Amino acid sequence: MQSGVQVLLILMAIAAFLGVVLEEVIHVNKAKVVLFFGALAWMVLFVAAPDEAFRGQVQAALNHNILDIASLWLFLLATMTFVAYLNKKGLIENIIYSVLPGRITERKLLLLTGLFCFVFSSIADNITATLVSVALVLSLRLELKKTLRFVTLVVFAVNSGGVAMITGDVTTLMIFLADRVEITHLLLLTLPSLAAVLLLAGLLSVGLSGEVMVERNARHELRGVDQVIGAIFLGTILCTILGSLLFAIPPVLTFLTGLAVMFLVARFFNEDIDNDPIMEYIRAIEFETLLFFLGVLLLVGMLQFIGVLQGLTALYDLLPPMAANYLMGLLSALIDNVPLTAALLKSDLQMGIADWMGLTYAVGVGGSMLIIGSAAGIVAMSKVPGLTFMTYLRSLGLLLMAFSFGFMAVYGLGLLVEG
């Protein structure tokens, strides 16, 4: 491919990124911008193909990219439908009221939020954990500045919680399947990851001195069907974990099965009625979020095809592995961590256990540095009014401190394992 075409495609990716950053300035929805440049970039690849053979390679790469996007879309559709139903029926709100005291300090509430997100994302996927956690935060009806602090912790804690579990983060699973680390090494990541979350909670709590009155509205009356669907949701999460571990069943397939069971159970309980049809909850999904994901993944797939992501491995020829891994973590806030990790694994890097543990943490948590750097951040941005690229960027210093602490703690623990 001509170098001029590659430059054009990279500039298009940069323009899409700037469209997200400057959304409040240009007043154009970020989903529209990234979708435009993502689709246009692939059209440029087809038009600029020098021959039919190369055009066939573009088609194959696009098909693979679309397959990844479709899996994510369907997974999001299933999880968001579950959460939309349970949220409207008041199940999530009831759980919050039953756990939280009537009065709690803001600092304690922030700490409990971080712990909840960390633990929940260890057993569930990041997207589901974010949806539930953001719903919890919004139900507290805090002022915007405080809500942004809580959501910042949610994004970081959700990403941190899944990094030690092969079912919690895709990149962790990829590194494990490549035989770079053992399951015991991954489990050790729990301690430094949790310590980093607690550090960020402490940093974000500075200046919080008030108390939160948890308004005990009349609790929603939960019918039998609501409780059964709640149990189906939890069972789907458990089956996703076990199915992935024991039979390598794709999570999207398990969640679609759970969604189908939800629809059938609703019909069995005569819940699927004309004035509240169960299928209508699909319409409650934030399709703006799905379109944003679509555009982002199209752009990332294009960058992977033209070799930009593979070129990043040259950093390991210039820097020590520890420094390169740290930078890869920061880059994962700009580049999807899955193709980034895939490129690193394909380059056959030779590193010790400490470095592989450090890379696992870096690519799993580094996306928290920017709101667009992880699925958790993108979902949170679509759900929280006032949460934008720039408002989240105000916490970059605190996030960088927590990430750096966690990375160094993981690396130090890795050296003890090697010793």
Side-chain angles (χ1 to χ4, degrees), residues 145-163:
K145 289 184 179 180
K146 294 179 180 179
T147 297
L148 294 179
R149 292 195 189 193
F150 276 78
V151 175
T152 298
L153 181 62
V154 166
V155 173
F156 188 85
V158 163
N159 287 328
S160 299
V163 76

Side-chain angles (χ1 to χ4, degrees), residues 94-143:
N94 282 1
I95 293 175
I96 294 171
Y97 288 159
S98 63
V99 174
L100 292 179
R103 174 179 294 182
I104 185 173
T105 63
E106 293 173 341
R107 289 185 176 183
K108 186 176 181 180
L109 180 60
L110 187 66
L111 177 62
L112 290 176
T113 301
L115 290 174
F116 170 77
C117 295
F118 184 87
V119 173
F120 190 52
S121 66
S122 297
I123 59 176
D125 64 277
N126 290 358
I127 295 172
T128 302
T130 304
L131 287 169
V132 174
S133 301
V134 167
L136 185 154
V137 172
L138 292 178
S139 70
L140 298 172
R141 298 179 178 85
L142 300 170
E143 61 179 271

Side-chain angles (χ1 to χ4, degrees), residues 108-338:
K108 186 176 181 180
L109 180 60
L110 187 66
L111 177 62
L112 290 176
T113 301
L115 290 174
F116 170 77
C117 295
F118 184 87
V119 173
F120 190 52
S121 66
S122 297
I123 59 176
D125 64 277
N126 290 358
I127 295 172
T128 302
T130 304
L131 287 169
V132 174
S133 301
V134 167
L136 185 154
V137 172
L138 292 178
S139 70
L140 298 172
R141 298 179 178 85
L142 300 170
E143 61 179 271
L144 179 59
K145 289 184 179 180
K146 294 179 180 179
T147 297
L148 294 179
R149 292 195 189 193
F150 276 78
V151 175
T152 298
L153 181 62
V154 166
V155 173
F156 188 85
V158 163
N159 287 328
S160 299
V163 76
M165 301 290 291
I166 58 175
T167 55
D169 191 277
V170 176
T171 54
T172 299
L173 177 61
M174 291 169 63
I175 295 174
F176 170 74
L177 293 178
D179 293 324
R180 306 300 184 181
V181 291
E182 299 178 5
I183 193 68
T184 52
H185 299 147
L186 293 176
L187 292 176
L188 288 175
L189 295 178
T190 302
L191 294 177
S193 297
L194 179 58
V197 171
L198 296 178
L199 173 61
L200 181 61
L203 294 172
L204 290 170
S205 68
V206 175
L208 295 179
S209 57
E211 290 186 333
V212 176
M213 298 294 296
V214 180
E215 299 180 6
R216 304 237 176 224
N217 300 327
R219 296 185 63 171
H220 296 268
E221 180 182 355
L222 294 180
R223 301 160 302 165
V225 61
D226 300 331
Q227 298 177 27
V228 171
I229 290 179
I232 292 173
F233 179 52
L234 294 178
T236 301
I237 295 174
L238 179 61
C239 289
T240 299
I241 297 172
L242 294 178
S244 177
L245 282 174
L246 300 177
F247 307 107
I249 299 175
V252 60
L253 186 59
T254 307
F255 255 93
L256 285 176
T257 304
L259 184 66
V261 172
M262 170 186 171
F263 291 156
L264 292 173
V265 166
R267 184 60 182 170
F268 177 79
F269 277 90
N270 292 322
E271 173 67 11
D272 193 14
I273 53 180
D274 291 338
N275 62 345
D276 189 24
I278 192 71
M279 297 289 286
E280 284 298 308
Y281 286 93
I282 295 179
R283 298 180 185 273
I285 294 173
E286 292 284 346
F287 280 94
E288 178 185 326
T289 302
L290 296 178
L291 291 174
F292 184 60
F293 269 120
L294 173 59
V296 169
L297 292 179
L298 283 173
L299 286 168
V300 171
M302 175 273 295
L303 292 174
Q304 185 177 26
F305 178 74
I306 65 176
V308 172
L309 299 187
Q310 290 82 344
L312 295 175
T313 59
L315 279 174
Y316 288 85
D317 297 328
L318 304 174
L319 299 171
M322 183 182 71
N325 288 338
Y326 181 81
L327 290 178
M328 287 298 167
L330 298 182
L331 284 173
S332 69
L334 294 172
I335 302 172
D336 188 271
N337 59 357
V338 173

Side-chain angles (χ1 to χ4, degrees), residues 34-35 37-42 59-79 127 252 256 287-304 336 338-339 375:
V34 295
L35 181 59
F37 282 109
L40 184 61
W42 282 99
Q59 182 66 63
L62 178 61
N63 291 342
H64 181 74
N65 196 205
I66 293 295
L67 177 62
D68 291 338
I69 294 170
S71 297
L72 178 60
W73 262 55
L74 293 173
F75 182 80
L76 282 171
L77 182 144
T79 56
I127 295 172
V252 60
L256 285 176
F287 280 94
E288 178 185 326
T289 302
L290 296 178
L291 291 174
F292 184 60
F293 269 120
L294 173 59
V296 169
L297 292 179
L298 283 173
L299 286 168
V300 171
M302 175 273 295
L303 292 174
Q304 185 177 26
D336 188 271
V338 173

Side-chain angles (χ1 to χ4, degrees), residues 20-64:
V20 176
V21 175
L22 302 175
E23 180 183 17
E24 294 179 318
V25 178
I26 62 178
H27 302 293
V28 179
N29 186 280
K30 58 185 177 293
K32 298 175 182 177
V33 175
V34 295
L35 181 59
F36 169 74
F37 282 109
L40 184 61
W42 282 99
M43 292 187 68
V44 170
L45 280 172
F46 276 98
V47 173
D51 50 48
E52 287 300 321
F54 188 86
R55 192 168 286 114
Q57 296 177 23
V58 175
Q59 182 66 63
L62 178 61
N63 291 342
H64 181 74

Side-chain angles (χ1 to χ4, degrees), residues 398-413:
L398 301 182
L399 288 164
L400 190 59
M401 289 175 61
F403 170 73
S404 301
F405 171 81
F407 178 82
M408 295 306 298
V410 167
Y411 189 76
L413 192 61

